[in-house]
Amino acid sequence: MTKKTRATEHTEFSEAQIAVHWKEEERFRPPKKFVEQANAKDRDIRERFGPKKFPNCFREYADMLTWFEPYRTILDTSKPPFWKWFVGGKINASYNCVDRHLAQYRNKAALIFVPEPEDEPTVALTYQELYNRVNEMAALLRDFCGLKAGDRVTFHLPMTLELPITMLACARLGVIHSQVFGGFSGQACGTRIQDSGSHILISMDAYWRAGKLGDHKANADIAVQTAQEMGQQVDKVLIWQRYPGKYSSPTPMVKGRDFFVNEVLKNYHGKRVDPLPMDSEAPLFLMYTSGSTGKPKGCQHRTGGYLAYVAGTSKYIQDIHPTDTYWCMADIGWITGHSYIVYGPLAVAATSVVYEGVPTHPDAGRPWRIAERLGVNIFHTAPTSIRMLRKQGPEEPKKYNYHFKHMTTVGEPIEPEAWRWYYHEVGKGEAVIVDTWWQTENGGFLCSTVPAIDPMKPGSAGPGVPGIYPIIYDENGKEVRAGSGQAGNICIRNPWPGIMQTIWGDPERFVDQYYARYCKNRHSKDWRDWPYLAGDGAMQAADGYFRILGRIDDVINVAGHRLGTKEIESACLTVPEVAEAAAVPVADELKGRVPEIYIALKPGYQASQEIVNRVIKANEDLIGKIARPKSVYIVPDMPKTRSGKIMRRILASISNRKDVGDVTTLANPDVVEQIRVSVQGKEKVASKDALPEDIAKFGEND
Ligand code: WT7
């Protein structure tokens, strides 16, 4: 890149844009020691995965796996956008993550479990023992539950070893697992049981979180009841005991329906189950995520393409070697955990750490003590945790003798300030950082630097990873000039093996949501006509790095997790007094964004704290604690257009203490000032600073 192009990058900004965007950051070179040992240190990787090599480049990832039968076609595009990868191949994910490592790594730790209580010992599970336990569990699922390939099973499991064991046991049989984040409520789990058509729910009696051994079995009962009310019968509920042999929940077991897994497992001691050779295109799992409508989408991921993609990116972007101790602090209940705690790392024979609890328990030094004790050398977390650890223990990392060679950030944009603390304090200036941008739908990373090759730039994810070609379109479908620094909607030009197959049970929504917007020709069989719409705003700097600006749809990214505004609003409407509800994102120092809720009551009801409390509880019960709003405001009326649409954008401005702009065209302009005063107080506090892009554009479709 020349000086001149960088200069134009700046002069092309309008004044408003400069206010929104961060300034161009300095670059950091990957440490030499890292480069020397890296899996991908040859610049030739960009060439190998260059546009001319598509789609054959992805053979390199597929070849990292062991196939029972080789694939014939790398990419089949005959039914866009339902791409097929490695067609004709037969493969088993459990075999690839476990069995094939036995010869070389039998007695190496595959997984290390760190309980939240610090006085409880860690548990290292070798590949041999993982093999034993996956086989026994697979036998139980097959013979006790009657499960077979293609059936769906819902899990509502916390962060213990039983979760990856049960996932791999399903994969062994070709059973499609659907893990619901353990922190979600019983109702949220129930709706996902219903959507996936599961007859079996697998959960745990209790788990530790922030110093408390919480009752989790109660959620299983609620989940089963919710599913039942929606017409889906659950036949068996399998409950793992957090402490085998001891029941840690006060909620009774239901006779004939509920079973303790660890007890039933005794009948399968030493049992072996051959891994079933699955079609490359057979679904491996479902992972639900929020979209712009109330109903969560079951992202359906395939076996061959997905596993190839997470193996390849684990090797080249996460730089995992079998000798590394790798710790991703995410929850396996999110896609990050599926791809980069379980499937990716185990496919490349890593030692992967599973931590049960919160990062700051009992204090903000905990992660660094774990790293020191286990010799963790690759660390992976989200900006929200980085901000929290920085706030609560800025000096903590220094106190511990651990050394990371590589660190990842994922889930939301990271402010350069937080990035620098991560780099200098957590990484001690020795570790390379990758800022990985991707989504539940994508299977694996889309944008990131290749750690030994590309310099790091705080706050920017980087270019597309090898084989991924992002492009930015404007509102009218016009391509934004590459490297121009102009914001637009980021899309991916080409299919890739990790992309979801479809939305479970709703292929039309899949096409509408991700492809309809910029599809050039609905009849075309050429993948070039089908760019994938990610739903994020982004801009590309002159150096080719993408900076992600946040969601463009009605989704609020809370601490790196997606919540649909419609889901929140539907939860509010279950409170009988509530006539209308609107959820908006508010910038939050630690969590990135948090929802704030505005409600209008039905005629004849008085505003009260009691109603507010029930609105909060409705969100916690129906979605989970993660959906707890920062505030709930009861307003006399919602600001509305003349056609009656709620103007969420105006509410978002008020919540974020920004100027509401011109409201004279509304049906009820006066209500805006009333709401403003009740939220912000009489004095005008609105600042003239521009809102972050995602909030500024929020509710534009209203
Ligand atoms: C949304 C996807 C799969 C990662 C975990 C979250 C935001 C994700 C980044 C990043 C800026 C990011 C986007 C995306 N996001 N990573 N590195 N920089 N924003 O998965 O729940 O499906 O959320 O998270 O807005 O669309 P998810």
Side-chain angles (χ1 to χ4, degrees):
M1 160 204 32
T2 65
K3 263 216 163 90
K4 202 162 152 237
T5 52
R6 286 194 65 178
T8 41
E9 181 194 336
H10 287 283
T11 50
E12 273 181 16
F13 283 135
S14 71
E15 211 175 310
Q17 278 176 312
I18 292 172
V20 194
H21 300 307
W22 289 308
K23 68 179 196 327
E24 185 65 19
E25 292 289 331
E26 67 178 305
R27 277 131 217 287
F28 291 72
R29 291 246 137 239
K32 200 161 156 261
K33 228 171 116 188
F34 174 82
V35 175
E36 280 163 4
Q37 60 81 61
N39 282 326
K41 52 174 163 253
D42 191 345
R43 280 180 184 281
D44 154 67
I45 190 169
R46 293 255 170 236
E47 174 56 30
R48 290 198 320 267
F49 285 83
K52 289 199 197 87
K53 304 285 166 66
F54 180 87
N56 294 359
C57 53
F58 287 114
R59 182 187 285 276
E60 183 167 332
Y61 288 175
D63 289 352
M64 292 177 188
L65 305 176
T66 307
W67 295 78
F68 292 137
E69 271 176 46
Y71 51 88
R72 290 184 308 269
T73 311
I74 292 181
L75 172 63
D76 173 346
T77 63
S78 58
K79 208 184 150 209
F82 301 91
W83 321 117
K84 291 184 180 156
W85 283 94
F86 310 121
V87 186
K90 297 265 191 211
I91 189 163
N92 185 285
S94 179
Y95 178 88
N96 272 277
C97 291
V98 187
D99 308 37
R100 67 170 181 150
H101 301 317
L102 292 178
Q104 218 179 334
Y105 301 113
R106 188 178 297 277
N107 280 316
K108 187 181 98 88
L111 297 165
I112 302 179
F113 173 57
V114 182
E116 193 192 72
E118 208 162 0
D119 54 2
E120 231 177 83
T122 58
V123 180
L125 203 66
T126 62
Y127 273 96
Q128 173 70 37
E129 184 57 8
L130 178 61
Y131 173 78
N132 294 334
R133 295 195 57 186
V134 167
N135 271 278
E136 290 164 356
M137 187 60 186
L140 182 152
L141 293 174
R142 185 189 61 189
D143 301 341
F144 182 70
C145 299
L147 288 165
K148 52 182 193 322
D151 291 346
R152 282 81 53 209
V153 176
T154 300
F155 308 167
H156 196 200
L157 287 166
M159 279 292 283
T160 62
L161 293 178
E162 286 72 17
L163 174 49
I165 289 168
T166 315
M167 286 164 73
L168 292 164
C170 285
R172 207 163 182 84
L173 302 168
V175 170
I176 304 167
H177 58 74
S178 171
Q179 153 73 1
V180 177
F181 170 53
F184 273 159
S185 67
Q187 273 102 329
C189 179
T191 57
R192 288 154 177 81
I193 292 176
Q194 189 273 334
D195 190 82
S196 63
S198 302
H199 291 283
I200 310 275
L201 170 65
I202 306 182
S203 188
M204 190 171 265
D205 56 353
Y207 64 95
W208 289 99
R209 187 116 200 117
K212 204 174 139 243
L213 185 65
D215 178 12
H216 192 48
K217 165 63 167 67
N219 293 323
D221 291 1
I222 297 168
V224 171
Q225 198 198 329
T226 306
Q228 177 128 38
E229 283 161 9
M230 297 173 82
Q232 178 65 29
Q233 174 75 29
V234 174
D235 303 326
K236 281 194 170 79
V237 177
L238 303 187
I239 300 291
W240 289 95
Q241 288 173 322
R242 171 66 178 79
Y243 297 97
K246 181 175 159 230
Y247 188 42
S248 303
S249 159
T251 306
M253 295 286 277
V254 176
K255 212 170 175 288
R257 186 198 73 180
D258 300 353
F259 302 90
F260 290 126
V261 186
N262 32 292
E263 270 172 21
V264 183
L265 264 177
K266 289 178 186 153
N267 304 327
Y268 298 92
H269 188 80
K271 279 271 182 319
R272 295 286 178 263
V273 174
D274 285 339
L276 198 65
M278 301 301 296
D279 272 344
S280 178
E281 278 291 307
L284 178 62
F285 66 86
L286 306 180
M287 170 66 64
Y288 283 84
T289 191
S290 301
S292 43
T293 72
K295 195 167 182 267
K297 306 175 278 193
C299 298
Q300 178 184 321
H301 285 283
R302 53 171 66 81
T303 306
Y306 170 81
L307 199 65
Y309 197 68
V310 296
T313 48
S314 289
K315 182 161 178 182
Y316 292 152
I317 308 297
Q318 293 299 88
D319 196 56
I320 300 177
H321 302 61
T323 44
D324 290 324
T325 303
Y326 166 88
W327 181 18
C328 170
M329 209 164 62
D331 194 294
I332 299 175
W334 306 110
I335 191 73
T336 304
H338 273 47
S339 298
Y340 297 112
I341 297 177
V342 182
Y343 285 116
L346 296 182
V348 298
T351 295
S352 181
V353 176
V354 173
Y355 173 54
E356 178 177 31
V358 297
T360 49
H361 182 84
D363 57 70
R366 185 71 192 279
W368 324 129
R369 287 197 291 281
I370 293 172
E372 178 184 75
R373 185 163 176 100
L374 301 182
V376 171
N377 65 342
I378 307 181
F379 183 68
H380 187 153
T381 193
T384 184
S385 308
I386 298 169
R387 291 181 207 119
M388 193 166 59
L389 290 163
R390 174 173 180 243
K391 187 169 178 200
Q392 295 187 20
E395 306 295 328
E396 288 300 308
K398 279 191 192 42
K399 300 182 188 161
Y400 300 97
N401 182 23
Y402 66 85
H403 296 277
F404 295 151
K405 66 164 183 175
H406 181 293
M407 305 192 299
T408 302
T409 167
V410 64
E412 25 162 356
I414 183 165
E415 306 75 3
E417 264 320 291
W419 191 100
R420 277 189 274 271
W421 182 77
Y422 197 34
Y423 181 81
H424 292 294
E425 300 302 321
V426 178
K428 307 177 180 189
E430 305 166 330
V432 76
I433 295 181
V434 291
D435 179 345
T436 58
W437 170 73
W438 61 298
Q439 315 169 289
T440 306
E441 293 87 339
N442 308 152
F445 305 143
L446 294 180
C447 282
S448 165
T449 48
V450 177
I453 295 172
D454 306 313
M456 303 164 251
K457 188 162 82 173
S460 288
V465 296
I468 299 290
Y469 292 91
I471 179 172
I472 297 176
Y473 288 107
D474 70 12
E475 296 300 316
N476 309 314
K478 219 178 129 240
E479 205 175 311
V480 169
R481 192 164 54 76
S484 63
Q486 303 281 330
N489 297 334
I490 189 167
C491 294
I492 308 297
R493 278 178 205 271
N494 58 302
W496 67 99
I499 181 67
M500 69 198 281
Q501 292 176 295
T502 184
I503 294 175
W504 176 260
D506 203 348
E508 270 169 45
R509 190 174 172 200
F510 173 68
V511 179
D512 287 353
Q513 185 99 39
Y514 305 108
Y515 295 96
R517 176 120 188 222
Y518 294 117
C519 179
K520 296 183 187 100
N521 170 6
R522 286 283 192 128
H523 302 289
S524 169
K525 299 225 181 294
D526 186 344
W527 58 262
R528 289 168 195 82
D529 292 327
W530 293 86
Y532 165 84
L533 173 75
D536 280 328
M539 58 97 120
Q540 190 187 26
D543 58 7
Y545 282 31
F546 290 91
R547 179 170 287 170
I548 306 299
L549 303 167
R551 302 289 311 176
I552 54 168
D553 52 16
D554 296 338
V555 167
I556 305 178
N557 187 334
V558 183
H561 303 304
R562 279 152 65 175
L563 290 179
T565 51
K566 293 282 190 305
E567 281 170 274
I568 299 173
E569 292 166 4
S570 318
C572 298
L573 292 175
T574 64
V575 174
E577 294 89 339
V578 174
E580 287 178 308
V584 301
V586 182
D588 181 89
E589 197 195 333
L590 293 178
K591 293 181 182 165
R593 304 281 176 268
V594 286
E596 247 180 28
I597 294 173
Y598 290 82
I599 53 176
L601 300 180
K602 288 176 187 161
Y605 288 106
Q606 288 296 311
S608 70
Q609 184 59 39
E610 198 263 330
I611 295 178
V612 167
N613 293 346
R614 276 191 287 126
V615 167
I616 294 172
K617 186 164 185 307
N619 276 280
E620 292 189 351
D621 287 350
L622 291 167
I623 305 172
K625 284 235 160 36
I626 195 165
R628 195 186 165 87
K630 190 167 194 166
S631 313
V632 176
Y633 300 108
I634 300 180
V635 298
D637 193 9
M638 296 288 178
K640 285 186 187 148
T641 62
R642 283 170 205 262
S643 60
K645 288 187 178 155
I646 299 176
M647 292 295 287
R648 290 180 182 73
R649 188 165 46 81
I650 291 174
L651 297 172
S653 300
I654 294 175
S655 274
N656 289 280
R657 281 142 177 91
K658 295 286 149 56
D659 195 13
V660 293
D662 179 16
V663 297
T664 51
T665 59
L666 294 187
N668 52 353
D670 297 346
V671 82
V672 175
E673 181 60 11
Q674 283 178 47
I675 298 174
R676 193 198 66 74
V677 170
S678 69
V679 173
Q680 302 178 344
K682 275 227 162 1
E683 294 293 307
K684 276 237 179 222
V685 292
S687 102
K688 286 271 179 254
D689 298 348
L691 273 172
E693 190 101 3
D694 59 316
I695 298 180
K697 294 181 87 175
F698 189 78
E700 258 189 1
N701 310 324
D702 282 348

